[in-house]
Every structure is written in structure tokens, then in C-alpha cells.
């Protein structure tokens, strides 16, 4: 009995010592968190992770972007078409009283407005700040007018233009506060978007008219665009492709067929194909068209699986160097042609 009591006392002492050590560790951790981040750090230490962002707010954000874009478009058209003495009409959009605004004595022709870019640059509770770029066609100055449109469509009739119209791009900041809109400042005329670089496409092999891919692709587009024949002969069962109705063209001439399959349909079972055609209508030839297709071979027969939204790109994508600018910078005496170069785009990564 004495030995058992001694063992029980030793066990109780060991448990107390272990509990004291555990409590000391917790106190030390809390002390470090308090020094580093105060009470919020302590609460965050014990709190669970916040819920992931929800997509429920996306429609509202898109709606506010459209609202800011529409407001900016009306403001810019109204501003550019205003003349001296019409400063009051700008008070609907911007705090004109806080700025010295000079307006011309003759109205400018403003037409074809289009919102080309909208970007949210700040969000603070119920306040959002947007940057909006609007493209307009601006013509020569016309006779003075006091009845310019305030709806944002056009200042005057474009048929009265006495000079060539030019397209210009204006940027303006817009605040959206509880659904109310206001321009942060007057518009700024900015440089139009620069010409982009060409992307390398996956169609590396030309296919002659007698190859399997060219035969099926040409027959499909002729039926698809002219309505002659059964388009079902050329497409897969799940393609969901029907000939255009009413048929827009009377005939189609295939100009070129290129593919990522260098055998042009004799070796592989699937291929990306780009077909360039010259359609003809009742009035004669029309503009050349290009159709990117995904084609598959089933039971020895090639068929069109889809008319793709965009041409097939190389994987990874590659940017083709701008040879026109490179040649323009070359010395006049240089007669050697510059080789075509590409720049590889790194693959997308996730952190």
C-alpha cells in the first residue's frame, strides 16, 4: 500500500510539471504575438481561415463598370461638342466651378463614340474609382451652334464636315459612390493603342487541293457558306454545325489550306486547319475570309468537329518580331533581309 501511494504521488507530480511547461509555452507564444501584432494577431492565431472570395459580387462589379463607361462616354461627347457659354451643361458631369474651363467658339463634330477600356483603380467601401477610355471620331470645326446634342450621340451631322475625320482617344476618371457618378477631372487626350505583335500560329504545313484535309475542309466551307449540298456529310455527329441560312454567298473559292499536320491528313487522327476562301455573291467577289477548324478522322473519314473561335496558337505561345520596324531602323545601304525571329511567352504559373 505504501509503495502504491508513492507511485501515485510521483505520477501526479509529473503531470503537474508537464502541465506547467505546456502553460509556459502558450504564454510565451501569446507574448510574442502581442509584441508583433497586438490583440489582432492573438485573435488571428486562434481564428479560422476567412472564407474564399465569392463570385456573387462579380455581376454587380460588371454592372458598375458599364455604368461608369456609359457616363464617361456621355461626358466626353458633351464636353468635346460644347462651345463658349455652355459651361453650365458640364456641371452635370464634373465640378466645373473648381476649374477654369475654356471652350471654343465653334462646335466640333463628334460622332461614333465607343467605350474601349474600363479599369477599376480603387475601391473603398461604397466608393469605387474607375478609369475609362473612350474613342470618338472628331471632324473639322463647323459653324457655331447652341443646340448641340446632350445625349452623347453626335454634336452635328457628320455630312457637314469640311475635312477628314480623325479618331481620337480620351481618358477620364469616374467615381461611383452609392450608384452616383461624377468625373474626377476633365478628359485627357491620350495616344491611341499601339499596334500589337503577331502571334505565331500552329499551322506550319500548307496542304494542296488533293490532300484529305484540303478536300474535306473545302467541301465543308462551300456547303456551309452557299447552302448547296448536305453539310452533315462533312461534320461529326456532335458538332452541331448547320449551313448558314439564308446562304450569304453563291460560290466559294478556296485560296489556301494550312495545318499543324505535316502529312495533311494521311498519318494523324486529328488536326488543326486554317482555310482561307474567296466567297462570291450576286454582286461579285467579296472580301476574303479565314476559318480555323478542328478536324478529326473517324473510320478513315475526315470530318469537321468545330469551327473554332480563334486560330490555333503554338504551345507555348510565341510573339513574332515586328520585321517592319526592324527594317525601318536598318541603314539605307543595307540590302540583307532580316531573319524572322520569335519570342517565347513563358507558361502561366500559379503562386
Amino acid at each position: 500500500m505504501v509503495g502504491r501511494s508513492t507511485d501515485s504521488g510521483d505520477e501526479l507530480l509529473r503531470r503537474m510539471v508537464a502541465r506547467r511547461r505546456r502553460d509556459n509555452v502558450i504564454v510565451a507564444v501569446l507574448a510574442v504575438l502581442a509584441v508583433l501584432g497586438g490583440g489582432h494577431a492573438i485573435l488571428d492565431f486562434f481564428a479560422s481561415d476567412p472564407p474564399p472570395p465569392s463570385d456573387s459580387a462579380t455581376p454587380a462589379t460588371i454592372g458598375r463598370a458599364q455604368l461608369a463607361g456609359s457616363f464617361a462616354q456621355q461626358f466626353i461627347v458633351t464636353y468635346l461638342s460644347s462651345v463658349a457659354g455652355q459651361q453650365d451643361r458640364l456641371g452635370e458631369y464634373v465640378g466645373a466651378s473648381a476649374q477654369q474651363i475654356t471652350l471654343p467658339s465653334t462646335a466640333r463634330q463628334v460622332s461614333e463614340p465607343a467605350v474601349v477600356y474600363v479599369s477599376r483603380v480603387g475601391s473603398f467601401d461604397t466608393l469605387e474609382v474607375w478609369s475609362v477610355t473612350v474613342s470618338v471620331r472628331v471632324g473639322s470645326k463647323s459653324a457655331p451652334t447652341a443646340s448641340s446634342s446632350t445625349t452623347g450621340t453626335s454634336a452635328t451631322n457628320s455630312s457637314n464636315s469640311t475635312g477628314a475625320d480623325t479618331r481620337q482617344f480620351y481618358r477620364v476618371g469616374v467615381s461611383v459612390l452609392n450608384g452616383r457618378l461624377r468625373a474626377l477631372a476633365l478628359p485627357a487626350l491620350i495616344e491611341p493603342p499601339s499596334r500589337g505583335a503577331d502571334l505565331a500560329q500552329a499551322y506550319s504545313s500548307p496542304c494542296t487541293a488533293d490532300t484529305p484535309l484540303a478536300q474535306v475542309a473545302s467541301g465543308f466551307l462551300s456547303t456551309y457558306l452557299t447552302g448547296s449540298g448536305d453539310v452533315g456529310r462533312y461534320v461529326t455527329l456532335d458538332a452541331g454545325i448547320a449551313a448558314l441560312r439564308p446562304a450569304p454567298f453563291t460560290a466559294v473559292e478556296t485560296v489556301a489550306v494550312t495545318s499543324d499536320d505535316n502529312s495533311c491528313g494521311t498519318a494523324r487522327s486529328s488536326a488543326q486547319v486554317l482555310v482561307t476562301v474567296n466567297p462570291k455573291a450576286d454582286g461579285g467577289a467579296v472580301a476574303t475570309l479565314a476559318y480555323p477548324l478542328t478536324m478529326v478522322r473517324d473510320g478513315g473519314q475526315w470530318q469537321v468537329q468545330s469551327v473554332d473561335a480563334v486560330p490555333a496558337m503554338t504551345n507555348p505561345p510565341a510573339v513574332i518580331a515586328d520585321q517592319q520596324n526592324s527594317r525601318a531602323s536598318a541603314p539605307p545601304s543595307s540590302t540583307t533581309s532580316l531573319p524572322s525571329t520569335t519570342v517565347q511567352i513563358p507558361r502561366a504559373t500559379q503562386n
Side-chain angles (χ1 to χ4, degrees), residues 199-203 272-274 290-293 308-314:
L199 295 180
Q201 297 183 356
Y203 315 106
Q272 301 292 329
V273 181
L274 182 67
Y291 287 86
L293 308 175
D308 301 328
V310 296
M313 300 290 107
T314 58

Side-chain angles (χ1 to χ4, degrees), residues 39 64 69 84 90 135 139 145 204 224 237 277 286 315 344:
R64 289 190 294 271
L90 304 177
S135 168
T145 176
S204 57
Y224 178 72
L237 294 177
V277 297
V286 297
N315 187 20
Q344 297 293 330

